Amino acid sequence: AQTVTQSQPEMSVQEAETVTLSCTYDTSESDYYLFWYKQPPSRQMILVIRQEAYKQQNATENRFSVNFQKAAKSFSLKISDSQLGDAAMYFCAYRNNNNDMRFGAGTRLTVKP
Amino acid sequence: KAGVTQTPRYLIKTRGQQVTLSCSPISGHRSVSWYQQTPGQGLQFLFEYFSETQRNKGNFPGRFSGRQFSNSRSEMNVSTLELGDSALYLCASGQGKTTEAFFGQGTRLTVV
């Protein structure tokens, strides 16, 4: 079974600084998709970034980028120029071709002004 | 485009009762998935429906069931409620097998 591990329950970053959230996963499949979701206090899960496993190039969305290491089964999220609005729970998620989606336990990110 | 809509937003039920939660996906999305979120267990997959058929199911007891209608709207039912069913229930819709899921704001269920 696929598992997703986020080893950092909490992280803190100073406003305008850079922070990296870690995620590892376990799978025997070669084709899958990885996502980072953000859940602010409003509870709405918002997609931050996605990565297709077959693509070697790391995905980037404005201040958000990933470091995807397929062999190491690692998928970290880097947030540059952190803003107060980035404070939220961040969930790493894995989705296979059968649409089975698994989430990590989440990392609570605090942004200090 | 309207987002994923879940109703009701909050619900309080008594042990032993049953409850039905509703989810209206984004227009054009045929896949609807349900998740249970609790502080202790995190986000757990309940089931996924696609074109009115259950395509995937998580590891939950038979008290948890769902269905999807021809307009892609989905309902989730929990019978014989237990205190441990208190959670945030999230619904997500998608266009196909491997696209990202778009989430609703959830239904907060409290069982007393």
Side-chain angles (χ1 to χ4, degrees), chain A residues 2 5 9 12 17 22 26 28 36 42 45-47 51-53 55 63 70 82 86 92-93 104 111:
Chain A
Q2 300 90 0
T5 303
S12 179
E17 297 293 306
S22 301
D26 184 27
S28 57
W36 278 98
S42 67
M45 294 277 280
I46 302 164
L47 177 69
Q51 173 83 43
E52 291 86 348
K55 288 187 178 178
R63 299 182 294 109
K70 191 171 183 179
S82 297
D86 294 334
C92 177
V111 181

Side-chain angles (χ1 to χ4, degrees), chain B residues 8 11 13 17-21 76-81 109:
Chain B
L11 207 48
K13 288 286 189 178
Q17 286 187 313
Q18 75 161 13
V19 67
T20 299
L21 311 182
M76 189 193 100
N77 186 76
V78 188
S79 62
T80 321
L81 283 165
L109 171 66

Side-chain angles (χ1 to χ4, degrees), chain A residues 31-75:
Chain A
D31 195 16
Y32 49 86
Y33 296 77
L34 297 165
F35 307 90
W36 278 98
Y37 281 91
K38 166 186 174 181
Q39 187 179 39
S42 67
R43 309 178 323 197
Q44 178 107 42
M45 294 277 280
I46 302 164
L47 177 69
V48 174
I49 199 165
R50 64 174 277 171
Q51 173 83 43
E52 291 86 348
Y54 64 84
K55 288 187 178 178
Q56 291 186 328
Q57 188 171 6
N58 289 324
T60 299
E61 286 288 340
N62 301 313
R63 299 182 294 109
F64 299 88
S65 61
V66 299
N67 183 4
F68 173 46
Q69 302 289 328
K70 191 171 183 179
K73 295 178 184 173
S74 170
F75 183 60

